[in-house]
Amino acid sequence: MKKTLSVAGAALLTVLAAVFAFGQPAQAANGFSVANGRLYDANGTEFVMRGVNHAHTWYPQQTASFANIKKLGANTVRVVLASGDRWTKNSAADVANVISLCKANKLICVLEVHDTTGYGEDGAATTLAKATDYWLSIADVLKGQEKYVIVNIGNEPYGNQGYAAWATDTANAIKRLRTGGLTHTIMVDAPNWGQDWSFTMRDNAGTVFNADPQKNTVFSIHMYGVFDTAAEISDYLGRFRTAGLPIVVGEFGFNHSDGNPDEDAIMAYSQANGIGYLGWSWSGNGGGVEYLDMATNFDPNQLTSWGQRIFNGANGIKATAREASVYASTPPPTTTPPTSIPPTTTPPTTPPPSGGCTAAYTIVNSWQGGFQGEVKVTAGSAAIGGWSVRWTFANGQTASQAWNATVSNSGSTYTARNVDYNGRLGAGASTTFGFIGSWNGTNPVPAVACTAS
Protein backbone atom coordinates (compact mmCIF):
# COMPACT_ATOMS: atom_id res chain seq x y z
CA MET A 1 0.00 0.00 0.00
CA LYS A 2 1.18 3.49 -0.76
CA LYS A 3 -0.30 6.46 0.99
CA THR A 4 -1.85 7.86 -2.21
CA LEU A 5 -2.52 5.33 -4.96
CA SER A 6 -2.37 6.24 -8.63
CA VAL A 7 -4.70 4.18 -10.84
CA ALA A 8 -5.04 4.66 -14.56
CA GLY A 9 -8.25 2.64 -15.09
CA ALA A 10 -9.14 -0.87 -16.10
CA ALA A 11 -7.65 -2.32 -19.27
CA LEU A 12 -9.26 -5.19 -21.14
CA LEU A 13 -6.70 -7.81 -22.05
CA THR A 14 -7.11 -11.38 -23.24
CA VAL A 15 -8.46 -13.63 -20.53
CA LEU A 16 -6.93 -16.88 -19.43
CA ALA A 17 -7.64 -19.41 -22.12
CA ALA A 18 -6.62 -22.61 -20.39
CA VAL A 19 -7.28 -24.21 -17.05
CA PHE A 20 -4.09 -25.19 -15.20
CA ALA A 21 -3.94 -28.19 -12.90
CA PHE A 22 -1.12 -28.18 -10.40
CA GLY A 23 -0.63 -31.22 -8.21
CA GLN A 24 1.19 -31.59 -4.93
CA PRO A 25 4.72 -30.20 -5.30
CA ALA A 26 7.90 -31.89 -4.22
CA GLN A 27 8.27 -29.63 -1.18
CA ALA A 28 10.88 -29.57 1.54
CA ALA A 29 9.64 -31.19 4.75
CA ASN A 30 8.10 -29.11 7.51
CA GLY A 31 7.12 -26.04 5.52
CA PHE A 32 4.09 -24.51 3.84
CA SER A 33 3.24 -25.87 0.41
CA VAL A 34 0.81 -25.24 -2.43
CA ALA A 35 -1.35 -27.78 -4.26
CA ASN A 36 -4.33 -27.33 -6.60
CA GLY A 37 -4.57 -23.65 -5.83
CA ARG A 38 -4.64 -24.11 -2.05
CA LEU A 39 -2.12 -23.38 0.70
CA TYR A 40 -1.24 -26.11 3.21
CA ASP A 41 0.72 -25.86 6.41
CA ALA A 42 3.52 -28.20 7.42
CA ASN A 43 1.01 -30.75 8.76
CA GLY A 44 -0.74 -30.91 5.41
CA THR A 45 -3.74 -28.98 6.77
CA GLU A 46 -5.26 -26.35 4.53
CA PHE A 47 -4.54 -22.86 5.83
CA VAL A 48 -6.60 -19.78 4.99
CA MET A 49 -5.04 -16.47 6.02
CA ARG A 50 -7.16 -14.18 8.15
CA GLY A 51 -5.23 -11.22 9.42
CA VAL A 52 -3.93 -7.71 9.01
CA ASN A 53 -0.88 -5.74 7.92
CA HIS A 54 1.39 -4.20 10.55
CA ALA A 55 3.81 -1.36 9.68
CA HIS A 56 6.67 -2.71 11.79
CA THR A 57 9.49 -0.99 9.93
CA TRP A 58 8.08 2.48 10.71
CA TYR A 59 6.99 1.60 14.24
CA PRO A 60 9.56 -0.93 15.50
CA GLN A 61 8.73 -0.09 19.11
CA GLN A 62 5.16 -1.36 18.73
CA THR A 63 6.02 -4.98 19.46
CA ALA A 64 2.88 -5.45 21.59
CA SER A 65 0.90 -5.24 18.34
CA PHE A 66 1.57 -8.89 17.60
CA ALA A 67 -0.15 -10.04 20.80
CA ASN A 68 -2.96 -7.54 20.36
CA ILE A 69 -3.66 -8.62 16.79
CA LYS A 70 -3.72 -12.24 17.93
CA LYS A 71 -6.11 -11.52 20.80
CA LEU A 72 -8.57 -10.08 18.31
CA GLY A 73 -8.59 -13.43 16.52
CA ALA A 74 -6.11 -13.18 13.63
CA ASN A 75 -4.08 -16.17 12.45
CA THR A 76 -1.67 -14.19 10.23
CA VAL A 77 0.16 -10.87 10.27
CA ARG A 78 1.79 -9.34 7.22
CA VAL A 79 4.82 -7.45 8.47
CA VAL A 80 6.24 -4.39 6.68
CA LEU A 81 10.04 -4.55 6.43
CA ALA A 82 12.58 -2.37 4.64
CA SER A 83 15.59 -3.44 2.59
CA GLY A 84 17.49 -0.20 3.22
CA ASP A 85 16.98 1.06 -0.32
CA ARG A 86 14.25 3.52 0.67
CA TRP A 87 13.72 3.14 4.39
CA THR A 88 16.07 2.11 7.20
CA LYS A 89 17.03 -1.53 6.76
CA ASN A 90 15.58 -4.08 9.15
CA SER A 91 18.56 -6.07 10.39
CA ALA A 92 18.71 -9.83 10.49
CA ALA A 93 18.45 -9.63 14.29
CA ASP A 94 15.31 -7.53 14.05
CA VAL A 95 13.72 -9.93 11.57
CA ALA A 96 14.58 -12.85 13.84
CA ASN A 97 12.81 -11.03 16.68
CA VAL A 98 9.75 -10.41 14.51
CA ILE A 99 9.59 -14.12 13.72
CA SER A 100 9.88 -14.97 17.41
CA LEU A 101 7.01 -12.57 18.19
CA CYS A 102 4.86 -14.23 15.54
CA LYS A 103 5.64 -17.68 16.92
CA ALA A 104 5.10 -16.63 20.54
CA ASN A 105 1.64 -15.42 19.56
CA LYS A 106 0.89 -18.37 17.27
CA LEU A 107 0.65 -16.20 14.18
CA ILE A 108 1.90 -16.99 10.70
CA CYS A 109 4.38 -14.32 9.59
CA VAL A 110 4.13 -12.94 6.05
CA LEU A 111 7.30 -10.85 5.70
CA GLU A 112 7.38 -8.24 2.93
CA VAL A 113 9.88 -5.67 1.63
CA HIS A 114 8.10 -2.35 1.15
CA ASP A 115 10.86 -0.49 -0.70
CA THR A 116 9.65 -1.79 -4.09
CA THR A 117 6.30 0.01 -3.86
CA GLY A 118 5.43 1.63 -7.20
CA TYR A 119 8.76 1.03 -8.95
CA GLY A 120 8.85 2.60 -12.41
CA GLU A 121 6.49 5.37 -11.37
CA ASP A 122 7.81 6.31 -7.94
CA GLY A 123 11.43 7.37 -8.31
CA ALA A 124 12.25 6.43 -4.71
CA ALA A 125 11.20 2.79 -5.16
CA THR A 126 13.65 -0.04 -5.76
CA THR A 127 13.61 -3.19 -7.88
CA LEU A 128 12.55 -6.73 -7.13
CA ALA A 129 16.18 -7.70 -7.75
CA LYS A 130 17.27 -5.45 -4.87
CA ALA A 131 14.55 -6.89 -2.64
CA THR A 132 15.85 -10.35 -3.51
CA ASP A 133 19.34 -9.26 -2.48
CA TYR A 134 17.90 -8.34 0.90
CA TRP A 135 16.21 -11.69 1.43
CA LEU A 136 19.37 -13.53 0.55
CA SER A 137 21.36 -11.33 2.94
CA ILE A 138 19.18 -12.45 5.87
CA ALA A 139 18.69 -16.04 4.68
CA ASP A 140 20.27 -17.45 7.85
CA VAL A 141 17.42 -16.20 10.04
CA LEU A 142 14.77 -17.37 7.56
CA LYS A 143 16.03 -20.91 7.08
CA GLY A 144 14.45 -23.32 9.53
CA GLN A 145 11.34 -21.13 9.88
CA GLU A 146 9.46 -22.57 6.91
CA LYS A 147 6.59 -23.72 9.19
CA TYR A 148 5.89 -20.18 10.31
CA VAL A 149 7.14 -17.74 7.65
CA ILE A 150 6.01 -16.85 4.13
CA VAL A 151 8.33 -14.60 2.11
CA ASN A 152 6.50 -11.82 0.22
CA ILE A 153 9.29 -10.67 -2.13
CA GLY A 154 8.29 -7.04 -2.66
CA ASN A 155 5.27 -4.86 -1.99
CA GLU A 156 3.39 -3.59 -5.06
CA PRO A 157 6.33 -3.86 -7.48
CA TYR A 158 5.68 -1.45 -10.34
CA GLY A 159 3.26 1.42 -10.41
CA ASN A 160 1.46 2.24 -13.64
CA GLN A 161 4.61 2.49 -15.78
CA GLY A 162 7.01 -0.22 -16.92
CA TYR A 163 4.87 -2.99 -15.50
CA ALA A 164 5.22 -5.18 -18.62
CA ALA A 165 8.45 -6.44 -17.04
CA TRP A 166 6.58 -7.77 -13.98
CA ALA A 167 6.42 -11.43 -15.06
CA THR A 168 10.09 -11.70 -16.04
CA ASP A 169 11.34 -9.83 -12.99
CA THR A 170 9.12 -11.82 -10.62
CA ALA A 171 10.12 -15.17 -12.11
CA ASN A 172 13.80 -14.25 -11.89
CA ALA A 173 13.43 -13.21 -8.26
CA ILE A 174 11.74 -16.50 -7.37
CA LYS A 175 14.46 -18.53 -9.07
CA ARG A 176 17.21 -16.58 -7.29
CA LEU A 177 15.60 -17.22 -3.91
CA ARG A 178 15.39 -20.94 -4.64
CA THR A 179 19.01 -21.04 -5.80
CA GLY A 180 19.91 -19.25 -2.58
CA GLY A 181 18.37 -22.07 -0.55
CA LEU A 182 15.03 -20.58 0.52
CA THR A 183 12.33 -23.27 0.43
CA HIS A 184 9.56 -21.19 1.98
CA THR A 185 6.26 -20.52 0.30
CA ILE A 186 6.84 -17.33 -1.69
CA MET A 187 4.20 -14.64 -2.11
CA VAL A 188 4.29 -12.22 -5.05
CA ASP A 189 2.36 -8.96 -5.37
CA ALA A 190 0.68 -7.61 -8.48
CA PRO A 191 1.88 -4.51 -10.36
CA ASN A 192 -0.19 -1.32 -10.84
CA TRP A 193 0.27 -0.42 -7.17
CA GLY A 194 -0.79 -3.95 -6.35
CA GLN A 195 -4.21 -3.72 -8.04
CA ASP A 196 -3.41 -5.30 -11.42
CA TRP A 197 -5.92 -3.23 -13.40
CA SER A 198 -3.89 -4.18 -16.49
CA PHE A 199 -4.36 -7.90 -15.67
CA THR A 200 -0.59 -8.39 -16.03
CA MET A 201 -0.40 -10.71 -13.03
CA ARG A 202 -3.66 -12.44 -13.82
CA ASP A 203 -2.68 -13.29 -17.38
CA ASN A 204 0.91 -14.30 -16.57
CA ALA A 205 0.37 -16.08 -13.27
CA GLY A 206 0.66 -19.57 -14.75
CA THR A 207 4.02 -18.76 -16.31
CA VAL A 208 5.36 -17.28 -13.08
CA PHE A 209 4.08 -20.22 -11.03
CA ASN A 210 5.82 -22.68 -13.33
CA ALA A 211 9.07 -20.70 -13.06
CA ASP A 212 9.25 -21.73 -9.40
CA PRO A 213 11.18 -25.02 -9.26
CA GLN A 214 9.20 -25.96 -6.15
CA LYS A 215 5.79 -24.85 -7.49
CA ASN A 216 5.29 -23.13 -4.14
CA THR A 217 4.25 -19.58 -5.01
CA VAL A 218 1.13 -17.68 -3.91
CA PHE A 219 -0.21 -14.60 -5.73
CA SER A 220 -1.34 -11.50 -3.86
CA ILE A 221 -3.82 -8.92 -5.16
CA HIS A 222 -4.39 -5.61 -3.36
CA MET A 223 -7.97 -4.40 -3.51
CA TYR A 224 -8.70 -0.69 -3.24
CA GLY A 225 -10.60 1.60 -5.63
CA VAL A 226 -10.19 -0.69 -8.66
CA PHE A 227 -12.31 -3.29 -6.88
CA ASP A 228 -15.42 -1.33 -6.04
CA THR A 229 -18.04 -3.86 -7.16
CA ALA A 230 -18.79 -7.45 -6.21
CA ALA A 231 -18.67 -8.43 -9.89
CA GLU A 232 -15.08 -7.20 -10.31
CA ILE A 233 -14.00 -8.95 -7.13
CA SER A 234 -15.58 -12.30 -7.93
CA ASP A 235 -14.37 -12.21 -11.53
CA TYR A 236 -10.74 -11.55 -10.61
CA LEU A 237 -10.48 -14.01 -7.73
CA GLY A 238 -12.62 -16.58 -9.53
CA ARG A 239 -10.24 -16.77 -12.50
CA PHE A 240 -7.42 -17.84 -10.19
CA ARG A 241 -9.65 -20.45 -8.59
CA THR A 242 -10.65 -21.78 -12.01
CA ALA A 243 -7.01 -21.91 -13.09
CA GLY A 244 -5.95 -23.79 -9.95
CA LEU A 245 -3.62 -20.97 -8.92
CA PRO A 246 -3.33 -19.82 -5.29
CA ILE A 247 -4.50 -16.27 -4.63
CA VAL A 248 -4.85 -14.13 -1.48
CA VAL A 249 -6.07 -10.59 -0.93
CA GLY A 250 -2.83 -9.30 0.54
CA GLU A 251 -4.21 -5.81 1.23
CA PHE A 252 -7.62 -4.16 1.15
CA GLY A 253 -9.48 -1.37 2.89
CA PHE A 254 -13.01 -0.13 3.39
CA ASN A 255 -12.29 3.17 1.65
CA HIS A 256 -9.44 4.80 -0.25
CA SER A 257 -8.34 7.92 -2.01
CA ASP A 258 -8.73 6.20 -5.39
CA GLY A 259 -12.27 4.98 -4.77
CA ASN A 260 -14.49 2.96 -2.47
CA PRO A 261 -13.58 -0.75 -2.42
CA ASP A 262 -16.40 -3.18 -1.68
CA GLU A 263 -14.98 -4.68 1.49
CA ASP A 264 -18.16 -6.62 2.22
CA ALA A 265 -17.93 -8.45 -1.11
CA ILE A 266 -14.18 -9.03 -0.66
CA MET A 267 -14.72 -10.68 2.71
CA ALA A 268 -17.84 -12.61 1.71
CA TYR A 269 -16.35 -14.00 -1.50
CA SER A 270 -13.07 -14.86 0.22
CA GLN A 271 -14.87 -16.73 2.99
CA ALA A 272 -17.13 -18.61 0.59
CA ASN A 273 -14.19 -19.70 -1.56
CA GLY A 274 -11.45 -20.39 0.97
CA ILE A 275 -9.32 -17.38 -0.04
CA GLY A 276 -7.08 -15.63 2.48
CA TYR A 277 -7.30 -11.93 3.22
CA LEU A 278 -5.08 -9.46 5.09
CA GLY A 279 -6.56 -6.03 5.75
CA TRP A 280 -4.60 -2.78 5.67
CA SER A 281 -3.68 -1.89 8.36
CA TRP A 282 -3.39 -2.18 12.13
CA SER A 283 -2.37 1.41 12.96
CA GLY A 284 -0.01 4.27 12.11
CA ASN A 285 -1.27 5.31 8.67
CA GLY A 286 -0.44 8.80 7.40
CA GLY A 287 -0.48 10.85 4.23
CA GLY A 288 -4.22 11.38 4.25
CA VAL A 289 -5.29 7.75 4.70
CA GLU A 290 -5.35 7.73 8.48
CA TYR A 291 -8.91 6.40 8.21
CA LEU A 292 -7.40 3.01 7.33
CA ASP A 293 -6.18 2.56 10.92
CA MET A 294 -7.99 -0.34 12.58
CA ALA A 295 -6.85 0.67 16.07
CA THR A 296 -6.38 4.24 17.25
CA ASN A 297 -2.79 4.78 18.41
CA PHE A 298 -2.15 1.02 18.33
CA ASP A 299 -4.67 0.52 21.16
CA PRO A 300 -6.73 -2.68 20.74
CA ASN A 301 -9.37 -1.22 23.06
CA GLN A 302 -9.92 1.67 20.64
CA LEU A 303 -10.96 -0.05 17.45
CA THR A 304 -12.13 2.24 14.68
CA SER A 305 -15.20 1.44 12.59
CA TRP A 306 -12.86 -0.25 10.10
CA GLY A 307 -11.29 -2.25 12.92
CA GLN A 308 -14.70 -3.29 14.22
CA ARG A 309 -15.75 -4.27 10.71
CA ILE A 310 -12.80 -6.46 9.85
CA PHE A 311 -12.36 -8.10 13.24
CA ASN A 312 -15.93 -8.42 14.48
CA GLY A 313 -18.18 -8.06 11.44
CA ALA A 314 -19.75 -10.60 9.11
CA ASN A 315 -17.14 -12.85 7.46
CA GLY A 316 -14.61 -11.08 9.66
CA ILE A 317 -11.48 -12.32 11.35
CA LYS A 318 -13.06 -13.25 14.68
CA ALA A 319 -15.71 -15.40 13.04
CA THR A 320 -13.62 -17.08 10.35
CA ALA A 321 -9.94 -17.33 11.38
CA ARG A 322 -8.53 -20.76 12.21
CA GLU A 323 -5.12 -21.02 13.85
CA ALA A 324 -2.43 -22.84 11.86
CA SER A 325 -2.35 -26.47 12.94
CA VAL A 326 1.43 -26.29 13.45
CA TYR A 327 0.69 -24.50 16.70
CA ALA A 328 -1.51 -27.41 17.79
CA SER A 329 -3.75 -25.49 20.17
CA THR A 330 -7.37 -24.52 20.62
CA PRO A 331 -8.89 -21.82 18.41
CA PRO A 332 -7.46 -18.34 19.01
CA PRO A 333 -8.83 -16.15 21.80
CA THR A 334 -11.23 -13.35 21.04
CA THR A 335 -11.33 -9.81 22.31
CA THR A 336 -13.43 -8.76 25.31
CA PRO A 337 -16.00 -6.03 24.61
CA PRO A 338 -15.09 -2.63 26.08
CA THR A 339 -18.12 -2.92 28.39
CA SER A 340 -19.20 -6.24 29.80
CA ILE A 341 -22.72 -6.21 28.40
CA PRO A 342 -23.65 -9.77 27.40
CA PRO A 343 -24.84 -10.51 23.89
CA THR A 344 -28.62 -10.72 23.59
CA THR A 345 -30.63 -12.43 20.89
CA THR A 346 -34.18 -12.93 19.67
CA PRO A 347 -33.98 -16.20 17.70
CA PRO A 348 -36.75 -17.61 15.42
CA THR A 349 -39.24 -19.47 17.57
CA THR A 350 -41.43 -21.10 14.90
CA PRO A 351 -40.59 -22.50 11.46
CA PRO A 352 -41.04 -19.82 8.78
CA PRO A 353 -43.68 -20.40 6.11
CA SER A 354 -42.73 -21.80 2.73
CA GLY A 355 -40.93 -19.13 0.76
CA GLY A 356 -40.72 -16.86 3.80
CA CYS A 357 -37.91 -15.89 6.15
CA THR A 358 -37.20 -15.04 9.75
CA ALA A 359 -34.61 -12.76 11.33
CA ALA A 360 -32.73 -12.82 14.63
CA TYR A 361 -31.20 -9.62 16.03
CA THR A 362 -28.08 -9.84 18.21
CA ILE A 363 -26.03 -7.23 20.05
CA VAL A 364 -22.57 -8.63 19.32
CA ASN A 365 -20.53 -6.02 21.14
CA SER A 366 -21.35 -2.97 23.26
CA TRP A 367 -19.48 -0.04 24.75
CA GLN A 368 -20.47 3.27 26.26
CA GLY A 369 -22.58 5.07 23.70
CA GLY A 370 -22.11 2.53 20.92
CA PHE A 371 -22.69 -1.05 19.90
CA GLN A 372 -22.30 -3.52 17.05
CA GLY A 373 -25.48 -5.20 15.87
CA GLU A 374 -25.89 -8.31 13.74
CA VAL A 375 -29.00 -9.78 12.15
CA LYS A 376 -29.21 -13.36 10.91
CA VAL A 377 -31.69 -13.94 8.08
CA THR A 378 -32.94 -17.50 7.55
CA ALA A 379 -35.01 -18.73 4.62
CA GLY A 380 -38.03 -20.90 5.25
CA SER A 381 -38.85 -24.28 3.76
CA ALA A 382 -38.45 -22.97 0.20
CA ALA A 383 -35.75 -20.93 -1.52
CA ILE A 384 -36.10 -17.16 -1.67
CA GLY A 385 -34.73 -14.65 -4.17
CA GLY A 386 -34.34 -11.70 -1.82
CA TRP A 387 -35.24 -10.40 1.62
CA SER A 388 -35.84 -7.30 3.69
CA VAL A 389 -35.76 -6.90 7.48
CA ARG A 390 -37.61 -4.22 9.42
CA TRP A 391 -37.33 -3.06 13.04
CA THR A 392 -38.07 -0.02 15.18
CA PHE A 393 -35.78 1.29 17.91
CA ALA A 394 -37.67 2.22 21.08
CA ASN A 395 -35.08 4.29 22.96
CA GLY A 396 -33.54 6.64 20.40
CA GLN A 397 -30.86 4.25 19.10
CA THR A 398 -29.46 4.80 15.63
CA ALA A 399 -27.74 2.50 13.12
CA SER A 400 -25.04 3.37 10.57
CA GLN A 401 -22.01 1.88 8.78
CA ALA A 402 -23.85 -1.26 7.68
CA TRP A 403 -22.31 -4.18 5.80
CA ASN A 404 -23.87 -7.03 3.80
CA ALA A 405 -27.14 -5.06 3.52
CA THR A 406 -28.48 -1.73 2.34
CA VAL A 407 -29.98 -0.03 5.39
CA SER A 408 -32.34 2.96 5.34
CA ASN A 409 -34.57 4.54 7.96
CA SER A 410 -37.61 6.68 8.48
CA GLY A 411 -37.21 8.09 11.95
CA SER A 412 -36.66 5.23 14.38
CA THR A 413 -37.87 2.57 11.92
CA TYR A 414 -35.12 0.85 9.93
CA THR A 415 -35.29 -1.35 6.84
CA ALA A 416 -32.40 -3.53 5.66
CA ARG A 417 -32.44 -5.09 2.21
CA ASN A 418 -30.14 -7.72 0.78
CA VAL A 419 -27.26 -6.78 -1.50
CA ASP A 420 -26.66 -8.48 -4.82
CA TYR A 421 -24.60 -11.39 -3.52
CA ASN A 422 -26.63 -12.55 -0.49
CA GLY A 423 -30.28 -12.25 -1.51
CA ARG A 424 -30.79 -15.73 -2.92
CA LEU A 425 -31.02 -18.27 -0.12
CA GLY A 426 -31.83 -21.95 -0.37
CA ALA A 427 -34.43 -23.53 1.86
CA GLY A 428 -33.23 -23.23 5.45
CA ALA A 429 -30.07 -21.32 4.46
CA SER A 430 -28.90 -18.23 6.34
CA THR A 431 -26.90 -15.08 5.85
CA THR A 432 -25.99 -12.21 8.18
CA PHE A 433 -25.62 -8.46 8.00
CA GLY A 434 -24.29 -6.05 10.56
CA PHE A 435 -24.00 -2.40 11.52
CA ILE A 436 -22.50 -0.02 14.04
CA GLY A 437 -25.08 1.69 16.24
CA SER A 438 -25.35 4.34 18.94
CA TRP A 439 -27.38 4.32 22.14
CA ASN A 440 -27.91 6.44 25.24
CA GLY A 441 -29.55 5.14 28.39
CA THR A 442 -30.75 1.65 27.53
CA ASN A 443 -30.35 -0.50 24.43
CA PRO A 444 -33.09 -3.13 24.34
CA VAL A 445 -33.32 -5.63 21.50
CA PRO A 446 -36.10 -4.63 19.09
CA ALA A 447 -38.56 -7.00 17.49
CA VAL A 448 -37.62 -7.73 13.88
CA ALA A 449 -39.72 -8.83 10.92
CA CYS A 450 -38.40 -10.47 7.77
CA THR A 451 -40.12 -10.37 4.37
CA ALA A 452 -39.01 -12.56 1.46
CA SER A 453 -39.16 -11.42 -2.14
Side-chain angles (χ1 to χ4, degrees), residues 94 119 198 278 328 348 361 375 424 428:
D94 181 58
Y119 177 75
S198 64
L278 303 168
Y361 181 112
V375 178
R424 298 179 64 85

Side-chain angles (χ1 to χ4, degrees), residues 175-190:
K175 289 184 281 190
R176 282 186 61 207
L177 291 177
R178 296 305 187 209
T179 301
L182 295 187
T183 61
H184 307 67
T185 292
I186 291 172
M187 184 182 291
V188 296
D189 282 9

